[in-house]
Amino acid sequence: MIDLWGEDTATVVAHDEASFADAVVPPIFQNSLFTFSSYQEMCDTFAGKINRPVYTRGINPTVRAFEEKIAKLEGSEDALALSSGMAAISSAILSVVKPGDRILSVKHVYPDTFRFFEIFLRKFGVSVDYIDGSNLATVEAALPGHSLFYLESPTSWIMEAHDVKALCERAKEAGVTTIIDNSWASPIFQNPIKLGCDIVVHSASKYISGHSDVVAGVIATSAERVAQIRGEVTQYLGSKLSPFEAWLLLRGLRTLPLRMKAHEQAGMEIAKRLAEHPAVKTVFHPAFQNKAHPGLRGTSGLFSIELAENVSVEALCNHLKIFKIGVSWGGHESLICPAQASLIQSGGPNSTAFFGVSPHVVRLNVGLEDPEDLWGDLQEALGAASE
Ligand SMILES: Cc1ncc(COP(=O)(O)O)c(C=O)c1O
């Protein structure tokens, strides 16, 4: 268990530097435009001599406040907030690759990241090779010839946590840029910049928001890379985060350490009990892996289980009362997401089939309800779903 209130975490999440009329919560700059007081000020701003908001697709003070907090929490020089996790992932990748480049990616990345690789990037002449991120020697041998190494740790569906520090060291030696999806751990449990990663991306729709009321993404990296991503990609794709969402994310951040602690405790307890349950064949949870993942300081409430052969996935989903059937995670509510349903999802290649996830796997998002109520719900439904 980490000291959640160590370092500057408490100050960063709870304290809003900007004070307006002594309000404890800063107002939302819910506007698109900021005017200039003179012709000269406009010239100086466009010449880069003054850094100030001009138009919300570029800089907005509420969005900036969120970006500054993420940069502090991740230990990066700067951050850039975008309209979704996929906008953060695609913008970060597009800032690194050009036609003809090859990406090396760990297996079991988030399914839409996989589709972005296979549907979008291949169209523009960028190819992707997939590798087992837990095998350092294989990664080291495969890195040369690639311009980008894409990590997600823990991975989607099978929740395999990797030694991010060692992987980023190998990539640095090979001159390969690294990007990691850090949504699962949140900045509370893992800070990949401090482990040597170049670019961190988050789906802020998950734990950072925490309330299932925002779709957002954020990139944390050096000031130079933020300027490059802004200037070469996001300004033209128009994928900037809007002020209201940023304001909701600032609210989410204030309780992030407390929520992560609750998700970790309840998630661990339920995962342990499921591991002993006859209806469960395997628990996919980083704490249950016999592998080193030294940069990970804690575990969240998202993990998967493979059900025993005699247990019906459909019956389990339908019998659960507190756990709702849903695709997202990281919010206050507990969810079950069956891999089987994603196998029949239309539209492009399917990552669960491609990487080999059994249709008997279901993912659980352990929310903030009473863990004993959640366990009761699972026990009852597992019993009813066992033939
Ligand atoms: C691991 C991971 N990364 C990225 C994303 C994409 O985030 P968003 O839905 O905010 O675009 C998701 C969404 O489910 C995810 O699970």
Side-chain angles (χ1 to χ4, degrees):
M1 181 69 61
I2 65 158
D3 174 13
L4 289 171
W5 301 112
E7 299 181 19
D8 293 326
T9 308
T11 321
V12 172
V13 298
H15 184 73
D16 291 299
E17 289 83 1
S19 173
F20 299 89
D22 295 327
V24 291
V25 174
I28 314 175
F29 284 82
Q30 189 63 44
N31 54 305
S32 60
L33 182 66
F34 303 84
T35 55
F36 300 101
S37 60
S38 68
Y39 173 85
Q40 194 54 46
E41 193 187 8
M42 184 174 183
C43 292
D44 288 348
T45 304
F46 278 82
K49 291 182 196 161
I50 303 173
N51 187 18
R52 47 148 289 168
V54 172
Y55 188 58
T56 285
R57 176 153 52 81
I59 295 177
N60 172 284
T62 310
V63 180
R64 195 67 200 129
F66 170 66
E67 291 170 339
E68 282 169 2
K69 282 203 179 208
I70 289 294
K72 277 191 195 155
L73 286 172
E74 281 292 13
S76 62
E77 281 176 8
D78 206 350
L80 185 64
L82 298 158
S83 57
S84 68
M86 278 315 299
I89 290 166
S90 55
S91 301
I93 294 172
L94 289 173
S95 76
V96 176
V97 297
K98 56 181 186 330
D101 278 1
R102 287 168 62 202
I103 296 175
L104 186 65
S105 170
V106 296
K107 293 177 183 174
H108 295 286
V109 286
Y110 168 59
D112 274 350
T113 303
F114 172 72
R115 289 193 186 93
F116 175 68
F117 289 154
E118 297 301 319
I119 299 172
F120 187 97
L121 287 181
R122 285 202 191 272
K123 239 175 25 186
F124 293 92
V126 176
S127 61
V128 185
D129 303 311
Y130 300 94
I131 195 150
D132 175 3
S134 64
N135 190 330
L136 274 181
T138 327
V139 171
E140 191 171 353
L143 276 164
H146 294 90
S147 57
L148 171 65
F149 182 29
Y150 187 86
L151 295 91
E152 185 180 317
S153 182
T155 55
S156 285
W157 284 103
I158 62 158
M159 313 293 160
E160 190 178 78
H162 298 140
D163 185 342
V164 174
K165 187 165 184 275
L167 289 171
C168 291
E169 268 166 19
R170 303 297 189 283
K172 200 139 278 177
E173 280 159 21
V176 179
T177 306
T178 42
I179 297 180
I180 187 167
D181 183 332
N182 196 31
S183 311
W184 186 92
S186 90
I188 301 301
F189 288 149
Q190 185 167 254
N191 299 124
I193 295 283
K194 296 178 185 167
L195 302 172
C197 192
D198 295 311
I199 305 175
V200 174
V201 289
H202 281 282
S203 167
S205 326
K206 313 299 186 217
Y207 287 121
I208 291 175
S209 147
H211 294 75
S212 302
D213 52 10
V214 179
V215 172
V218 64
I219 300 172
T221 183
S222 66
E224 192 183 343
R225 281 189 194 275
V226 164
Q228 188 209 345
I229 298 168
R230 197 196 295 280
E232 291 179 11
V233 185
T234 57
Q235 189 74 4
Y236 315 112
L237 295 185
S239 47
K240 200 67 211 288
L241 186 67
S242 62
F244 182 59
E245 270 71 20
W247 185 82
L248 284 173
L249 293 171
L250 284 166
R251 184 188 62 166
L253 281 181
R254 292 184 197 111
T255 55
L256 183 63
L258 291 173
R259 286 188 285 107
M260 292 312 289
K261 189 175 172 181
H263 287 300
E264 175 176 52
Q265 282 174 349
M268 275 301 297
E269 189 54 40
I270 288 174
K272 273 189 213 157
R273 292 185 193 181
L274 284 171
E276 304 292 317
H277 198 286
V280 177
K281 196 168 156 190
T282 317
V283 175
F284 298 100
H285 185 298
F288 288 63
Q289 287 160 15
N290 209 4
K291 287 176 187 157
H293 32 78
L296 196 58
R297 300 188 300 268
T299 56
S300 68
L302 185 79
F303 64 92
S304 303
I305 51 174
E306 182 172 353
L307 300 167
E309 292 300 318
N310 65 324
V311 184
S312 153
V313 171
E314 185 175 348
L316 174 64
C317 291
N318 291 341
H319 274 94
L320 284 166
K321 293 189 178 67
I322 304 176
F323 281 84
K324 302 292 174 206
I325 307 167
V327 292
S328 194
W329 51 273
H332 54 282
E333 74 288 12
S334 288
L335 298 166
I336 183 165
C337 183
Q340 188 166 256
S342 91
L343 283 173
I344 52 171
Q345 187 180 325
S346 60
N350 188 292
S351 69
T352 47
F354 183 83
F355 294 123
V357 175
S358 158
H360 254 67
V361 168
V362 295
R363 193 183 66 190
L364 298 174
N365 175 60
V366 175
L368 298 173
E369 303 92 338
D370 183 338
E372 292 305 331
D373 290 346
L374 293 177
W375 178 240
D377 196 24
L378 280 168
Q379 260 185 318
E380 220 173 287
L382 283 169
S386 303
E387 286 152 16

